[in-house]
Amino acid sequence: MAHALYPGSFDPVTYGHIDVIQRASALFDSLTVAVLNNGAKSPLFSVDERVNMLNSVCKDIPNVKIDSFSGLTADYVTKNGIDVIIRGLRAVTDFEYELQMAQTNRKLAPKADTVFLTTSLEYAYLSSTTVKEVAYFGGDISKFVPKNIEELIFKKYKKINE
Ligand code: PNS
């Protein structure tokens, strides 16, 4: 049984993430998607909101579970007996950071390997940051995120701007 972990910020989850989740869930027996609770960043959505969003978009994928964590990914990996860390690679610009992270995680949690999935071409340009920027200025994000996530993003900006 191979248990994979897809860690990330998911602020918010996009079609790019969902593509990686679907493909990773088909490759491994079980997949945990875990939201990092990072005190150093100021996210748009709380950890609970991001977990709820992921639960809603993954509800039909039977071997996927959603979790959150604080601290090091490597500690989560060791504590939960994770075999594989999943990361999506969009472009060469992702590579240097991802390579460094994979090698650090391998030193800290030697039993786990990182597996990179190259993002499907139609989502190669997509990032949560871009989605937030387009939404902030009232642009159309319907091609970037599912309908329910789109509504939550606009609702959040409406609340912030009140
Ligand atoms: O979605 P993101 O922001 O690209 O995800 C980055 C994430 C959460 C995977 C990464 O920042 C992470 O693993 N943070 C936890 C802290 C950690 O383990 N740092 C050492 C890795 S070099």
Side-chain angles (χ1 to χ4, degrees):
M1 292 285 279
H3 187 179
L5 169 75
Y6 181 24
S9 304
F10 306 104
D11 184 43
V13 62
T14 68
Y15 279 133
H17 297 126
I18 296 168
D19 170 55
V20 170
I21 292 169
Q22 282 169 337
R23 288 160 54 208
S25 75
L27 288 173
F28 299 98
D29 297 299
S30 65
L31 172 70
T32 299
V33 182
V35 176
L36 174 68
N37 186 0
N38 185 351
K41 278 192 186 175
S42 43
L44 180 61
F45 291 98
S46 70
V47 171
D48 283 351
E49 287 171 325
R50 284 178 274 159
V51 165
N52 288 341
M53 286 191 277
L54 280 161
N55 269 316
S56 74
V57 299
C58 296
K59 65 180 186 320
D60 295 326
I61 317 175
N63 61 338
V64 172
K65 94 170 199 213
I66 315 299
D67 198 3
S68 62
F69 71 106
S70 302
L72 291 173
T73 293
D75 288 344
Y76 185 98
V77 162
T78 305
K79 231 179 277 167
N80 293 280
I82 301 290
D83 305 295
V84 171
I85 300 168
I86 301 290
R87 293 289 291 167
L89 273 185
R90 288 167 301 191
V92 73
T93 41
D94 284 340
F95 184 73
E96 220 167 306
Y97 168 65
E98 293 295 339
L99 179 68
Q100 190 181 28
M101 197 156 67
Q103 288 172 337
T104 306
N105 284 333
R106 185 129 173 83
K107 277 281 174 223
L108 297 174
K111 286 187 184 153
D113 259 310
T114 297
V115 169
F116 294 109
L117 295 184
T118 52
T119 308
S120 296
L121 273 182
E122 67 256 53
Y123 305 124
Y125 62 92
L126 195 52
S127 75
S128 298
T129 306
T130 311
V131 172
K132 284 183 280 192
E133 184 156 339
V134 174
Y136 180 79
F137 291 108
D140 179 5
I141 54 168
S142 61
K143 292 193 173 65
F144 309 153
V145 296
K147 187 79 191 151
N148 66 320
I149 306 297
E150 182 186 347
E151 285 166 5
L152 290 168
I153 296 168
F154 283 121
K155 202 167 142 196
K156 176 69 82 179
Y157 279 127
K158 194 165 170 248
K159 203 169 167 203
I160 289 172
N161 291 324
E162 268 170 9

